[in-house]
Amino acid sequence: MRYSGLRILKEGLTGNRGWTEQWRDATPRPEYDIIVIGGGGHGLATAYYLARNHGLSNVAVLEKGYLGGGNVGRNTTIVRANYFLPGNSEFYSYSLKLWEGLERELNYNVMLSQRGQIVLFHSDAQRDAAIRRGNAMRNQGDDCELLSRADLRRMVPFLDYEQARFPIRGALLQRRAGTARHDAVAWGYARAASARGVDLIQNCAVTGIDIAGGRVRGVQTTRGAIRAGKVAIVVAGRSSEVAAMAGMRLPIESHVLQAFVTEGLKPCVNHVISFGMGHFYISQSDKGGLVFGGDLDLYASYAQRGNLPAVEHVMEAGMTLMPMIGKARVLRSWGGIMDMSPDGSPIIDRTDTQGLYLNCGWCYGGFKAVPGSGWAMAHLLATDTPHPSAARFRLDRFATGRGLMDEEGTGMQHNLH
Ligand SMILES: Cc1cc2nc3c(=O)[nH]c(=O)nc-3n(C[C@H](O)[C@H](O)[C@H](O)COP(=O)(O)OP(=O)(O)OC[C@H]3O[C@@H](n4cnc5c(N)ncnc54)[C@H](O)[C@@H]3O)c2cc1C
């Protein structure tokens, strides 16, 4: 079924009886060409682009819970392409371009809102770094503007510009950055993949990976064994756990990241704003809630809930930046499990086991990567060669030390072992 304004009108006039299920709830078949483990944003996008770009639809996505129940439905929805380092820069640039055509591509309203991201700077040194980053973004072909303090004050008058410790000096603005509706991204990819013949199998946890003669043969699941020629591990915060089923020890640590939302307010925060002197960022959802977050809880954990010291830190930073936030009541908070890599950059690569592939290390920035990652992962699975946009996301960089892309990695230190 195609979605359109006309369809809404027709259904509205006929009692909304014509809507069909968004995707088939498939039961596992004994064998597939490709199994994607993980029904998050990256897994679903991978499956969709396998079918769409490579004509491969004998594919199953195995999800241990429900589609979109992981980080893809828990993040703060920020989409941007302002990475500095070669490797990341071209990848996120590519991903943002895919975002810009995603609604038409999936025939699904993912509510992409390019409202602009403002990253504040508070010192001369930070301004220099911002200019350097801005130049890198422009060289990459992405948009970016340097805002003076006066420009900024006109755009966002409610910030505390005279903070005693961190007076705001200006900002870097990327107008094409913004937010998207996270659940809709998962649902949109799921629906489009299912329509192209991919089996989406929920409540199906992978419990083992079958390997014989150095080749992957399939997986063991809570719904029985399934054979496959190729298996992709795309499970974000659970990457170490699932890779261990294939005897691998990954350079990944799992950490909790929390987010917060207030009661609904009239529109007041029109951009995504990131504090430059503390880990705090904020935007306003279409329902009116202020959505904000900060740093990791900073110890390894698989709990999908956070702890009070991080809550206090985020609230303090928010009050420092925009004291008016103190009047809003926080309605909800939650946590997700981040797959932290040592250099803060991801992995999209083959493994030493033939037919076994890995996609992880997205840290706290993997939502914006969903289209680009799915595209590149599908390319790797279908052709056995890395997609040019993701060619540097190699697993062996942590073993050899060559090709590390240190975008402020806050996982474990790669040079300790
Ligand atoms: C609070 C918070 C804020 C964030 N904010 C942003 C942001 O603003 N911008 C941004 O770009 N990124 C952000 N992120 C990061 C982003 O959400 C993640 O990097 C990204 O969603 C991870 O990829 P995914 O969607 O595939 O993961 P997930 O949705 O977690 O998908 C992995 C799936 O694998 C499944 N799985 C695990 N083990 C198994 C198994 N054994 N068998 C079968 N299935 C299994 C899980 O159930 C899960 O559904 C944020 C994350 C959090 C938690």
Side-chain angles (χ1 to χ4, degrees), residues 6 49 77 100 103 122 175 179 184 195 214 221 251 279 300-301 320 342 345 350 395:
L6 265 180
Y49 290 120
T77 76
E100 287 172 330
E103 286 163 346
H122 308 259
R175 290 192 192 268
T179 58
T221 79
H279 215 115
S301 169
T320 309
S345 298
R350 289 177 289 234
L395 174 59

Side-chain angles (χ1 to χ4, degrees), residues 38 40-42 63-64 71-72 75-76 78 206 236 364-368:
H42 293 250
E63 166 53 48
K64 74 170 178 178
N71 293 322
V72 71
N75 62 70
T76 41
I78 296 163
V206 170
Y364 28 63
F367 179 63
K368 70 179 88 62

Side-chain angles (χ1 to χ4, degrees), residues 204-220:
C204 181
V206 170
T207 52
I209 298 181
D210 297 333
I211 298 168
R215 246 209 97 78
V216 82
R217 306 287 167 177
V219 294
Q220 298 292 325

